[in-house]
Amino acid sequence: TLSAAAELFYKHGYENTTLDAVAERLGVTKPFIYAHFSSKTNLLAEICSRGIASSLEAIDSVLPLKLSPTDKLQRLGKHFVTAVLESQMSIAIFSREEKNLLPEDFERISKMRRDFDRKLTNLLKEGAAAGEFNITDPHLTALAIGGMVSWGYVWYRQKGRLELDEVATEMTKLMLAMVQAKPKGSKSR
């Protein structure tokens, strides 16, 4: 249901897509959709939350690891970029359609985004305190990294010049350069 609705919202816009069209695409009845989602707006909220949910899963999978801040950021970079680009359609829909979310859904998704930003900020603070990152404002740096990666939904193409793994690797290098990562024990970069 979600992928069919996402495709239609992405292609035609939320306001121009009816639940009848979603049901037709799925080959089901509208009551079938209502059995899973209480409204079209509820369906939109679920689609919009997918991108940030996958980003949170990425950071939550890395933070508990017994690694240096540099190694955590490097691992996070690859997972975060991959999560965002695999959720490209959901992120695009959120960017275009957030105005159509119910206030409580918008706040829930915004809270998830703030949670991600807070966790990334804390990782950057940890790296700066350890002498591995040369940054003066961890919160601004976290927002810059998040913005850089999140904006990838606009330009990334699955059949583009670079494969997803190559994009994730290169963008991770940019993140490490942005924080001027210098892992402990490293003489220079």
Side-chain angles (χ1 to χ4, degrees):
T1 305
L2 285 176
S3 60
E7 287 175 25
L8 291 169
F9 290 172
Y10 183 77
K11 186 174 181 180
H12 303 292
Y14 171 78
E15 293 171 342
N16 295 323
T17 301
T18 64
L19 283 181
D20 287 322
V22 175
E24 183 178 321
R25 170 70 65 92
L26 289 169
V28 298
T29 63
K30 202 158 65 169
F32 174 84
I33 295 171
Y34 280 120
H36 296 82
F37 299 96
S38 60
S39 66
K40 183 176 152 184
T41 309
N42 181 253
L43 182 57
L44 175 66
E46 183 60 32
I47 291 167
C48 289
S49 68
R50 289 289 169 113
I52 189 60
S54 63
S55 297
L56 275 168
E57 288 171 15
I59 201 165
D60 288 341
S61 74
V62 170
L63 292 180
L65 300 176
K66 302 277 188 236
L67 299 172
S68 70
T70 300
D71 290 337
K72 285 182 184 181
L73 185 61
Q74 184 169 18
R75 192 168 289 197
L76 171 62
K78 290 185 178 186
H79 291 308
F80 179 33
V81 171
T82 300
V84 165
L85 297 181
E86 286 179 344
S87 301
Q88 187 175 23
M89 194 178 300
S90 294
I91 293 169
I93 292 166
F94 176 74
S95 293
R96 287 188 227 155
E97 307 294 349
E98 66 182 90
K99 65 189 177 290
N100 290 307
L101 289 168
L102 295 174
E104 59 269 21
D105 290 327
F106 179 78
E107 180 52 35
R108 179 178 55 85
I109 294 168
S110 295
K111 184 177 183 282
M112 292 168 69
R113 292 170 70 178
R114 289 189 302 271
D115 189 31
F116 179 89
D117 293 341
R118 180 186 52 77
K119 289 175 179 182
L120 180 54
T121 297
N122 288 339
L123 174 58
L124 297 179
K125 285 179 180 177
E126 178 187 341
E132 293 186 30
F133 302 159
N134 183 16
I135 51 177
T136 55
D137 189 332
H139 183 67
L140 180 61
T141 306
L143 293 173
I145 289 170
M148 174 183 74
V149 174
S150 296
W151 191 249
Y153 86 88
V154 172
W155 53 262
Y156 174 72
R157 298 294 172 261
Q158 286 184 346
K159 295 186 188 236
R161 185 174 62 84
L162 298 174
E163 297 291 325
L164 177 59
D165 188 53
E166 294 171 304
V167 173
T169 297
E170 290 304 312
M171 289 188 75
T172 299
K173 288 177 188 176
L174 291 171
M175 284 181 220
L176 294 169
M178 188 182 295
V179 300
Q180 299 177 51
K182 185 177 180 188
K184 287 283 190 204
S186 170
K187 294 185 173 126
S188 65
R189 260 184 69 72

